[in-house]
Amino acid sequence: MARGPAGAAAVLGPLLWGCALALQGGMLYPRESPSRERKELDGLWSFRADFSDNRRQGFEQQWYRTPLRESGPTLDMPVPSSFNDVGQDGRLRGFVGWVWYEREVTLPQRWTQDLGTRVVLRIGSAHYYAIVWVNGVHVAEHEGGHLPFEADVSKLVQSGPLSSCRITIAINNTLTPHTLPPGTILYQKDTSKYPKGYFVQNTHFDFFNYAGLHRPVLLYTTPTIYIDDITITTGMDQNTGLVNYKVFVQGSEHFQLEVRLLDEEGKVVAQGTGGQGQLQVPSAYLWWPYLMHEHPAYLYSLEVRLTAQTAAGPVSDFYALPVGIRTVAVTENQFLINGKPFYFHGVNKHEDADIRGKGFDWPLLVKDFNLLRWLGANSFRTSHYPYAEEVMQLCDRYGIVVIDESPGVGIVLTQSYSNVSLQHHLEVMEELVRRDKNHPAVVMWSVANEPASYLKPAGYYFKTLIAHTKDLDPSRPVTFVTNSNYEADLGAPYVDVICVNSYYSWYHDYGHMEVIQLQLATQFEKWYRTYQKPIIQSEYGAETIAGFHQDPPLMFSEEYQKGLLEQYHLVLDQKRKEYVVGELIWNFADFMTDQSPQRAMGNKKGIFTRQRQPKGAAFLLRERYWKLANETRYHGSAVKSQCVGNSPFTF
Ligand code: GCB
């Protein structure tokens, strides 16, 4: 990578606050600007699943070489969407192996003829392993189903007379002990019971392994000398907001950079030059969580302008990044945002809905945020993998605080603690931090959910993983979510906040709500006594079939869900006065899982149905969350009186 004139420390290179990353380049969200264009490729793609016995026919016959329709029959497949639930072929729903997507794109003439234009293909997420060709030429490979990746395709689209290009993406959803999440393929060899070659995919997590192109695919342009990445951290000095920036440039060593910070009215409040610096904003408006302040989620805009001289003439690139000024800190018994105690009253979610599976969908997303705000939820955890970038953007805009979780769910096999697995997990954290580091809504990283953290190698694994994550981003606390016993947990010594899941009177002592208070209080006391760290009840809940009623309550009825929640709340109300800093219900909505005798068409612990209709518990939680909001709201003086943010989401 090149270095700019602003000084070696200033810019460039895969360095984020001093820790060597394996990753090359940035992953800025593609935004339109005077120097950048976008072309969305959502819609219908051609599709074929490779049902051959070894699932490799597509490679043997090189399906990427010619249009997919020439190598066999194709289906219409919507993008973004999971492929599993859109068809009528039962074999496709549970398909394991390679599927092939293809799309022909017509490009604007300037993109194919102007050699000063860089054309980039960006895939928001392809679950799980993806190989990409453009016009039959291999351009990218990516492992991991929840984070974006890109390929510079300029040379390919600018090399011939064609004004169109053919994009082929092969995706494999197989999970192995070394993928994240891990899984195993079980071959059944007993031919008296199973047909020849029979295998199934086993996983150790509780959601359906939907697959396909789950998030937007697009082409975008930049100039050939371009802003590759920006890293922001923020702070406060009395009333002055501090915005530390680093800008990373690619394509030349000779350029100038100007940065300007604009408030919500478009007024410039600070400016600077060079690839690194600190902007000072007198009387800054802080980014506050929803319901913590009258004007939550105040966002400035950091405008970065790059100019360079080339033999062909001047080049400029322009990128605008939303910036929220806020601080995060953790004490022995508090979680602080802008120096004030913050109590998480929120949910755990899934990216999950009828038909589209994990496919990104704007109406669904906006509905979910409207429900969160109705509920009085101020936060959620991205259980159990990173969510779409557009979700994180809405969190920034609405003030919904996020615990950003990696796909490290179901790490229970010894093999999944090997060096190969750890290396991949480290890389995933690098990709996640690179993508989400600038979101003010993200206040903590979660490296995993319910790993077998009592296994011997777990101590080294989590020590390394958490240390690396802190090196990548010293500005945020790090956790992982545990369900193990406080004294057996080998990862807990390394986390900043204890996040603990428990299901009293559901998976244990089922039907006996009378034990909840005692068991929950004991849980909190033991964890706190051992570690003296703030605790979040990161999951609790009960399976509930909407419309099942039983009084006195029985399991699976709406009354039982409410009753169980109420028992938890009694203890949470005591312990939040001491060191409990949050409660996240499991789950926001019902969601699809693998088929099993324990699951009736998926997990039904939602307080909303999968179609986002409330169960009785949603009203109970709504009353509680609004009460908590009114109790914990910050009635600050200085900052409050200066805030003029125009966010409509006041209360
Ligand atoms: C858990 C898991 C979550 C499951 C949930 C349940 O502890 O973290 O993924 O869905 O329990 O309902 O069993």
Side-chain angles (χ1 to χ4, degrees):
M1 283 199 185
R3 284 192 182 273
V11 278
L12 310 182
L15 289 178
L16 177 61
W17 310 130
C19 173
L21 298 182
L23 290 181
Q24 295 293 310
M27 196 52 68
L28 287 176
Y29 186 74
R31 294 174 192 280
E32 281 176 327
S33 82
S35 58
R36 294 169 174 237
E37 293 163 87
R38 283 169 57 122
K39 187 174 177 55
E40 260 119 73
L41 304 182
D42 297 353
L44 288 187
W45 288 52
S46 296
F47 175 92
R48 184 185 308 137
D50 185 342
F51 283 107
S52 62
D53 284 348
N54 67 1
R55 302 289 197 256
R56 297 202 55 84
Q57 192 177 23
F59 293 96
E60 287 154 13
Q61 298 180 351
Q62 302 185 325
W63 288 352
Y64 48 88
R65 284 262 175 161
T66 52
L68 204 53
R69 62 180 178 277
E70 292 179 14
S71 51
T74 58
L75 300 174
D76 281 341
M77 187 56 70
V79 172
S81 177
S82 301
F83 62 72
N84 310 78
D85 285 350
V86 296
Q88 285 302 100
D89 180 351
R91 292 179 312 156
L92 191 56
R93 183 170 192 280
F95 181 80
V96 179
W98 290 99
V99 297
W100 292 72
Y101 283 79
E102 182 199 74
R103 168 87 191 247
E104 303 255 2
V105 191
T106 305
L107 301 173
Q109 204 174 41
R110 208 179 57 69
W111 292 25
T112 57
Q113 297 194 351
D114 175 2
L115 299 185
T117 294
R118 181 173 155 265
V119 183
V120 183
L121 173 63
R122 187 185 223 262
I123 292 149
S125 105
H127 188 72
Y128 174 81
Y129 193 95
I131 307 180
V132 186
W133 296 263
V134 169
N135 293 337
V137 178
H138 176 279
V139 295
E141 267 181 54
H142 184 256
E143 174 175 359
H146 309 91
L147 289 162
F149 61 99
E150 295 186 342
D152 181 339
V153 297
S154 322
K155 284 212 175 66
L156 279 166
V157 300
Q158 290 165 354
S159 63
L162 287 178
S163 61
S164 70
C165 69
R166 186 168 46 82
I167 300 168
T168 314
I169 308 179
I171 303 178
N172 194 327
N173 59 355
T174 308
L175 300 178
T176 75
H178 305 307
T179 57
L180 270 192
T184 43
I185 296 287
L186 178 68
Y187 289 93
Q188 297 287 9
K189 298 209 171 105
D190 182 346
T191 49
S192 70
K193 290 191 183 157
Y194 301 99
K196 197 167 157 277
Y198 186 88
F199 66 89
V200 286
Q201 168 81 72
N202 284 338
T203 58
H204 303 276
F205 51 83
D206 183 36
F207 53 91
F208 187 66
N209 189 33
Y210 279 113
L213 288 171
H214 282 157
R215 299 186 188 149
V217 179
L218 55 91
L219 287 161
Y220 72 94
T221 65
T222 72
T224 45
I225 303 171
Y226 61 97
I227 299 158
D228 183 42
D229 202 4
I230 303 170
T231 301
I232 299 294
T233 56
T234 61
M236 276 300 276
D237 182 7
Q238 314 250 352
N239 265 356
T240 302
L242 308 174
V243 177
N244 305 303
Y245 67 89
K246 286 187 180 181
V247 181
F248 302 81
V249 172
Q250 286 277 24
S252 175
E253 299 193 353
H254 307 289
F255 53 82
Q256 286 79 47
L257 285 167
E258 290 165 68
V259 296
R260 305 193 310 166
L261 194 72
L262 279 67
D263 67 14
E264 284 186 351
E265 266 115 48
K267 199 170 104 243
V268 178
V269 294
Q271 46 195 325
T273 54
Q276 156 170 276
Q278 183 178 79
L279 303 178
Q280 302 198 347
V281 189
S283 307
Y285 306 129
L286 297 186
W287 187 94
W288 287 98
Y290 174 54
L291 300 180
M292 199 172 172
H293 194 273
E294 287 91 333
H295 300 288
Y298 192 95
L299 289 176
Y300 292 89
S301 174
L302 184 83
E303 293 188 352
V304 181
R305 181 183 298 276
L306 169 139
T307 47
Q309 289 299 329
T310 68
V315 172
S316 62
D317 190 19
F318 182 83
Y319 191 89
L321 180 77
V323 169
I325 301 177
R326 61 109 186 85
T327 61
V328 175
V330 168
T331 71
E332 216 176 72
N333 58 359
Q334 287 175 314
F335 196 100
L336 303 173
I337 296 185
N338 299 331
K340 305 290 166 203
F342 176 74
Y343 188 76
F344 295 78
H345 42 91
V347 305
N348 292 276
K349 286 185 95 265
H350 261 300
E351 291 187 316
D352 176 271
D354 287 332
I355 301 171
R356 59 193 54 64
K358 291 198 177 304
F360 177 79
D361 182 42
W362 276 113
L364 178 75
L365 185 60
V366 173
K367 178 72 179 175
D368 279 5
F369 274 85
N370 285 333
L371 288 176
L372 287 170
R373 289 164 45 213
W374 173 87
L375 196 63
N378 63 4
S379 51
F380 66 77
R381 171 165 69 116
T382 67
S383 44
H384 293 309
Y385 38 80
Y387 293 176
E389 289 154 287
E390 292 79 0
V391 178
M392 312 310 281
Q393 289 162 9
L394 278 197
C395 289
D396 289 347
R397 284 182 48 194
Y398 293 179
I400 302 291
V401 165
V402 178
I403 301 173
D404 204 350
E405 187 157 283
S406 90
V409 55
I411 307 178
V412 298
L413 306 170
T414 315
Q415 292 152 280
S416 301
Y417 282 108
S418 67
N419 274 339
V420 181
S421 291
L422 176 58
Q423 192 52 39
H424 178 55
H425 206 151
L426 294 171
E427 281 162 17
V428 169
M429 288 315 299
E430 290 176 0
E431 285 186 37
L432 177 58
V433 173
R434 175 176 68 172
R435 193 196 72 164
D436 288 352
K437 63 191 170 185
N438 294 325
H439 288 289
V442 174
V443 299
M444 181 154 65
W445 306 109
S446 163
V447 296
N449 178 70
E450 295 189 359
S453 43
Y454 47 85
L455 292 179
K456 203 156 167 248
Y460 173 74
Y461 189 97
F462 284 105
K463 183 178 176 193
T464 313
L465 194 56
I466 290 169
H468 189 58
T469 308
K470 283 176 184 250
D471 277 348
L472 293 167
D473 177 13
S475 76
R476 291 178 177 91
V478 182
T479 190
F480 75 88
V481 173
T482 184
N483 67 341
S484 78
N485 199 316
Y486 69 101
E487 78 233 307
D489 198 309
L490 301 175
Y494 308 109
V495 301
D496 296 307
V497 174
I498 303 279
C499 287
V500 54
N501 297 346
S502 54
Y503 286 90
Y504 302 121
S505 103
W506 190 261
Y507 290 123
H508 323 273
D509 300 294
Y510 26 90
H512 292 282
M513 289 196 273
E514 64 277 15
V515 304
I516 294 176
Q517 287 192 48
L518 179 60
Q519 295 188 358
L520 185 62
T522 306
Q523 165 201 282
F524 286 138
E525 281 153 22
K526 287 188 165 167
W527 278 102
Y528 193 71
R529 203 176 310 130
T530 314
Y531 296 103
Q532 285 95 51
K533 293 177 184 179
I535 304 177
I536 295 176
Q537 181 68 39
S538 41
E539 283 183 29
Y540 69 110
E543 206 84 14
T544 307
I545 314 275
F548 272 29
H549 291 287
Q550 197 70 40
D551 191 35
L554 294 183
M555 289 175 82
F556 296 97
S557 69
E558 297 206 21
E559 288 71 20
Y560 193 89
Q561 187 181 35
K562 285 201 283 187
L564 183 146
L565 265 49
E566 277 167 344
Q567 292 299 306
Y568 266 79
H569 296 162
L570 289 171
V571 181
L572 286 162
D573 280 339
Q574 290 160 21
K575 300 297 177 190
R576 73 187 165 87
K577 297 190 189 110
E578 301 174 43
Y579 46 75
V580 169
V581 297
E583 51 188 86
L584 304 175
I585 187 78
W586 191 263
N587 189 284
F588 173 72
D590 294 346
F591 58 91
M592 191 46 72
T593 63
D594 261 346
Q595 299 182 70
S596 91
Q598 279 82 35
R599 296 283 179 258
M601 304 277 265
N603 186 308
K604 296 278 191 286
K605 295 194 186 70
I607 54 163
F608 297 100
T609 64
R610 200 180 193 206
Q611 296 71 34
R612 277 44 179 183
Q613 296 308 317
K615 301 180 190 171
F619 296 96
L620 177 104
L621 219 53
R622 178 175 198 241
E623 208 178 307
R624 174 170 177 79
Y625 283 1
W626 281 92
K627 193 166 134 273
L628 284 171
N630 281 324
E631 267 179 47
T632 57
R633 174 182 160 193
Y634 166 50
H635 298 277
S637 50
V639 176
K640 180 183 164 197
S641 59
Q642 290 157 7
C643 276
V644 295
N646 58 6
S647 166
F649 309 114
T650 50
F651 58 103

